[in-house]
Amino acid sequence: MRKARSTTPEERLTIVRDCLANDKNYGATALKYNCSYQQVRNWVKRYEKMGSAGLEDRRGRRAGTQPARTHEEEMRDRIAELERRNRELQMENDLLKKVRELEMKGRYL
């Protein structure tokens, strides 16, 4: 098993294009560029699914700080934002109800 080497998105794109040009020969491409078979395969799969945006290294970054790569990621981010906003509005509603309740108690004392 080879130790992973650092690559830039441009290098990954070159590797993927070379692999696709050689009929997805992952093994030969891995040997040629001194990286693992599995890594080449993963890059090709992500490239086919998401294009060159799929080759970005997004490890160690919060999901919300990076732009969405796919429609599914975009929808997931939108749902999370709406759920957060819904929680905030619910808390605000609960607080207003409590204030109203306390004001009503104050009138009858």
Side-chain angles (χ1 to χ4, degrees):
M1 198 162 123
R2 294 178 188 263
K3 180 168 172 32
R5 71 178 184 92
S6 297
T7 56
T8 64
E10 293 79 27
E11 285 179 295
R12 292 181 208 133
L13 186 58
T14 302
I15 293 169
V16 166
R17 286 183 176 160
D18 187 33
C19 185
L20 291 173
N22 293 314
D23 297 323
K24 295 186 181 180
N25 189 343
Y26 304 122
T29 305
L31 288 173
K32 181 178 179 180
Y33 290 99
N34 192 27
C35 51
S36 74
Y37 174 97
Q38 188 62 43
Q39 191 61 72
V40 172
R41 184 178 176 279
N42 287 339
W43 287 335
V44 170
K45 295 291 183 191
R46 287 195 320 220
Y47 179 78
E48 289 175 335
K49 183 178 180 184
M50 296 181 259
S52 59
L55 301 177
E56 295 173 7
D57 185 6
R58 296 165 60 106
R59 294 174 297 169
R61 293 175 180 82
R62 294 184 65 140
T65 62
Q66 298 290 317
R69 294 186 288 195
T70 63
H71 180 69
E72 289 82 16
E73 285 182 355
E74 189 176 324
M75 290 296 107
R76 183 197 64 219
D77 293 346
R78 180 76 176 131
I79 289 169
E81 174 63 26
L82 290 172
E83 286 174 346
R84 184 191 61 74
R85 181 72 177 134
N86 194 16
R87 280 192 306 273
E88 287 176 0
L89 290 172
Q90 186 62 46
M91 286 190 298
E92 185 179 332
N93 240 358
D94 292 343
L95 179 63
L96 290 171
K97 285 179 186 177
K98 192 63 162 177
V99 168
R100 210 173 294 129
E101 180 185 313
L102 291 172
E103 287 176 347
M104 293 300 284
K105 280 185 181 178
R107 288 184 184 165
Y108 295 114
L109 290 178

